[in-house]
Amino acid sequence: MTHIGARSRTPAAMMAALLSLIAATTLAAQTRGTFVVLNGQDTASLERFERAHDRLTGSIETRVGGRTSRVTYSILKDDRGRPVRLEYSLTVPQRGLSTNAFDVRHDSASGPVMLYEKESAFAGPFPAGAVPLLYPLSIAMLEDLMDASRGSTASRSDAPVFVWGNQPTIGAATRQVARIDASTYDVAEMNGLRLTVNGDGEIVAGKGLTSAVTIIRAVEDRPVVDFRRSPAAPGESPTPPMGWNSWNKFGCRIDERLIRETADALVSSGMRAAGYRFLNIDDCWEARTRGANGELVADSTRFPSGMKSLVDYIHSKGLEAGIYSSGGTATCQGRPATLDHEAQDARTFAAWGFDYVKYDNCNARNRPEQVRFKAMIDAVKAAGRSTVFSICEWGEARPWLWGRRLGGQLWRTTEDIRDSWLSVMGILDQQVGLEAYAGPDGWNDPDMLEVGNGRMTHDEYVAHFSLWSLLNAPLIAGNDVRMMDDSTRAILLNRNVIAVDQDWGGRQGYRLRDDGASEVWAKPMSDGGWAVVLLNRATTPASIQVQLSELGMTTPWWKRLFARTDARRVHDLWTDERTLVHGAVTREVPPHGAVMLRIE
Ligand code: GLA
């Protein structure tokens, strides 16, 4: 272990040096692999981490920033001794109990992969300063898992670096290191910190280093547990799904020509390349009665070639296909629906080749939500095709509490969206407090996009798209993509904004400040920075400010001693303008509009 930066001999620094020595003795026998970078000032946590990491169940108390939190955790193993699930409960004063879990999938190609699951009982937004409380414990558990996974045959060319800090400015993140040569690795930049480390875990070069960073462990031959999730596995949704759906623009006026032309347009417009990969057919595709064997059949006037050939066409364009039904006796438009036909309909959808099922809630005959949705989720799984499952329950029975457990990848949180500012703002208000429930493989769905449907202004659509992205919402376009004007195109294809939506970061954005008509929404990004939306709900322009300290972006006193080192880079995601700011960012925000920024 190497202690770097300031040469002061504070008790913390001495403790860090001592731990360095202990760790260094073990490093000799170990070479390269996993590096854990820890904030060296917090030696107490460091010690706890060292003590705790060789146990498979335990309880740890952490004190950060004057707050004490207690965590109990346990790791469940399969009969081959491999960890398959990690559960932990965290009690934070004044916030209550949070229960979280990771499932561990053992995949021979990529090694163990941790599947993040979050079911939190927190009532409100997690305060920015409290977030890092979770991480030291996660890392301890991660190490447990890695220990317990010994013997796995996994191997990777790039090792991850687990970076943890007890200050929001350092953030907490998992970093891939790029191999420079046989023994040197480059740690990606995070908050101005960039390191080159060698196979012994020593920092051999660095930029913007502070005494607050210490590499505590470099370990060889441990299988890598990928905290960031593997690349999109079929049937799962590690990032919010993106695509197009027929309902918002076309309602029941759909046919196979529209779907084929939309497939073509998704490709030619660049939408597919920007990430919109699902083409979802909503209600009214169904014939009015089931077939001779009780199976669902497509409306033969509107879909004369049948669903199989349509799905083949969608697939041939490099897209995936989605279909719709309802957990009731009829769909919302009165077509045959799936209740009590789950297995048969799921097999039909799989046979046609659908990759995504949206399952609605009409005509449910008072049968319990969870039972109905679970029956179809299980049937879809049993049908054997990897499928994204979209729970469309309108938020009535709080599906964010059970959607993930049942196996859904997204759940509607509200009634249907309309192409109006009032509707968008109303839905937005209903998202407050739901951020705790979203994460890889389980997303809050504030409903599909209305961008480009013509009843809102350009600024209103910019606000709608900015906010949906900040909320990690599924980005399912709902306009006619065959004829988009430049304004619509510029919004739906803004890759910088899409990147915020697709950044899992473990956390959906939330309302940071509500000053009436002016609001500040913020989302911690996995690079340690923030995405911010300044929202003006008023009908006149407003000047809206966010203090960097509100985001926990403070600069240590010793850094401030040197001129202007507290500057932060700000990227305006709609004007593409890049500036440096000190202390606060202020922007003029148009009426019914938003400014979206990334602050590094
Ligand atoms: C419900 C859903 C909508 C749409 C219609 C179709 O209202 O919430 O998204 O699927 O049904 O009938």
Coordinates of all heavy atoms in Angstrom, one line a residue, residues 247-248 282-283 324 331-333 358 360 362 392 394 412 415-416 447-448, ligand 1:
W247 N -48.5 3.5 -29.2 CA -49.7 4.0 -28.6 C -49.9 5.5 -28.6 O -50.9 6.1 -29.0 CB -49.8 3.5 -27.2 CG -51.1 4.0 -26.6 CD1 -51.3 4.9 -25.6 CD2 -52.4 3.5 -26.9 NE1 -52.6 5.1 -25.3 CE2 -53.4 4.2 -26.1 CE3 -52.9 2.5 -27.8 CZ2 -54.7 4.0 -26.2 CZ3 -54.3 2.3 -27.9 CH2 -55.2 3.1 -27.1
N248 N -48.9 6.3 -28.2 CA -49.1 7.7 -27.9 C -49.5 8.5 -29.2 O -50.3 9.3 -29.1 CB -47.8 8.4 -27.4 CG -47.7 8.1 -25.9 OD1 -48.6 7.4 -25.3 ND2 -46.6 8.5 -25.3
D282 N -48.4 -1.7 -29.5 CA -49.3 -1.6 -28.3 C -50.6 -2.2 -28.7 O -50.8 -3.0 -29.6 CB -49.4 -0.1 -27.9 CG -49.6 0.0 -26.4 OD1 -50.8 -0.1 -26.0 OD2 -48.7 0.3 -25.6
D283 N -51.6 -1.8 -28.0 CA -53.0 -2.4 -28.1 C -53.5 -2.3 -29.5 O -53.1 -1.4 -30.3 CB -53.9 -1.7 -27.1 CG -55.1 -2.5 -26.7 OD1 -55.3 -3.6 -27.2 OD2 -55.8 -2.1 -25.7
Y324 N -48.0 -6.4 -26.8 CA -48.8 -5.9 -25.7 C -49.9 -6.8 -25.4 O -50.5 -7.4 -26.3 CB -49.4 -4.5 -26.1 CG -50.6 -4.0 -25.3 CD1 -50.4 -3.1 -24.3 CD2 -51.9 -4.5 -25.6 CE1 -51.5 -2.6 -23.5 CE2 -52.9 -4.0 -24.8 CZ -52.7 -3.1 -23.8 OH -53.8 -2.6 -23.1
T331 N -58.4 -6.3 -23.2 CA -57.4 -5.2 -23.1 C -58.2 -3.9 -22.8 O -59.4 -3.9 -22.8 CB -56.6 -5.0 -24.4 OG1 -57.5 -4.5 -25.4 CG2 -56.0 -6.3 -24.9
C332 N -57.4 -2.8 -22.7 CA -58.1 -1.5 -22.4 C -58.9 -1.1 -23.6 O -59.9 -0.3 -23.5 CB -57.0 -0.5 -22.1 SG -56.1 -0.9 -20.6
Q333 N -58.7 -1.7 -24.8 CA -59.5 -1.3 -26.0 C -60.5 -2.5 -26.3 O -61.0 -2.6 -27.4 CB -58.6 -1.1 -27.2 CG -57.6 0.1 -26.9 CD -58.3 1.4 -26.5 OE1 -59.3 1.8 -27.1 NE2 -57.8 2.0 -25.4
K358 N -45.3 -5.8 -22.9 CA -45.9 -4.8 -22.1 C -47.3 -5.4 -21.6 O -48.1 -5.8 -22.4 CB -46.2 -3.5 -22.8 CG -47.0 -2.5 -22.1 CD -47.1 -1.2 -22.8 CE -48.1 -0.2 -22.3 NZ -48.3 1.0 -23.1
D360 N -50.7 -5.0 -19.4 CA -51.5 -3.9 -18.9 C -52.5 -4.4 -17.8 O -52.4 -5.6 -17.4 CB -52.3 -3.3 -20.1 CG -52.6 -1.8 -20.0 OD1 -52.5 -1.3 -18.8 OD2 -52.8 -1.2 -21.0
C362 N -56.1 -3.5 -17.5 CA -57.5 -3.3 -17.6 C -58.3 -4.6 -17.4 O -57.8 -5.7 -17.7 CB -57.8 -2.8 -19.0 SG -57.5 -1.0 -19.2
C392 N -47.4 -2.7 -16.6 CA -48.2 -1.5 -16.8 C -49.4 -1.5 -15.9 O -50.5 -1.9 -16.3 CB -48.6 -1.4 -18.3 SG -49.6 0.1 -18.7
W394 N -50.0 1.2 -13.7 CA -50.4 2.6 -13.5 C -50.0 3.1 -12.1 O -50.5 4.2 -11.7 CB -51.9 2.9 -13.8 CG -52.4 2.2 -15.0 CD1 -51.8 2.1 -16.2 CD2 -53.6 1.5 -15.1 NE1 -52.5 1.4 -17.1 CE2 -53.7 1.0 -16.4 CE3 -54.7 1.2 -14.3 CZ2 -54.7 0.2 -16.9 CZ3 -55.7 0.4 -14.7 CH2 -55.8 -0.1 -16.0
R412 N -44.8 0.9 -14.6 CA -45.4 2.2 -14.7 C -45.7 2.7 -13.3 O -46.2 2.0 -12.5 CB -46.7 2.1 -15.5 CG -46.4 2.1 -17.0 CD -46.4 3.6 -17.6 NE -47.7 4.2 -17.4 CZ -48.7 4.0 -18.3 NH1 -48.6 3.2 -19.3 NH2 -49.9 4.5 -18.0
E415 N -50.7 7.0 -14.1 CA -51.7 6.9 -15.2 C -51.1 7.3 -16.5 O -49.9 7.8 -16.5 CB -52.9 7.9 -14.9 CG -53.6 7.5 -13.6 CD -54.8 6.6 -14.0 OE1 -55.4 6.8 -15.0 OE2 -55.1 5.7 -13.1
D416 N -51.8 7.2 -17.6 CA -51.3 7.5 -18.9 C -50.8 9.0 -19.1 O -51.5 9.9 -18.6 CB -52.3 7.3 -20.0 CG -52.6 5.8 -20.1 OD1 -52.1 5.0 -19.3 OD2 -53.3 5.4 -21.1
D447 N -44.0 6.6 -17.9 CA -44.7 6.5 -19.2 C -43.9 7.0 -20.3 O -42.9 7.7 -20.2 CB -46.1 7.1 -19.2 CG -47.1 6.4 -20.2 OD1 -46.6 5.5 -20.8 OD2 -48.3 6.8 -20.2
M448 N -44.4 6.7 -21.5 CA -43.6 6.9 -22.8 C -43.5 8.4 -23.1 O -44.3 9.2 -22.6 CB -44.3 6.1 -23.9 CG -44.4 4.6 -23.5 SD -45.4 3.6 -24.6 CE -47.0 4.2 -24.4
Ligands
GLA1 C1 -53.5 1.7 -21.1 C2 -52.0 1.9 -21.0 C3 -51.5 2.7 -22.2 C4 -51.9 2.0 -23.4 C5 -53.4 1.7 -23.5 C6 -53.8 0.8 -24.6 O1 -54.2 2.9 -21.0 O2 -51.7 2.5 -19.8 O3 -50.1 2.9 -22.1 O4 -51.2 0.7 -23.5 O5 -53.9 1.1 -22.3 O6 -55.2 0.5 -24.6

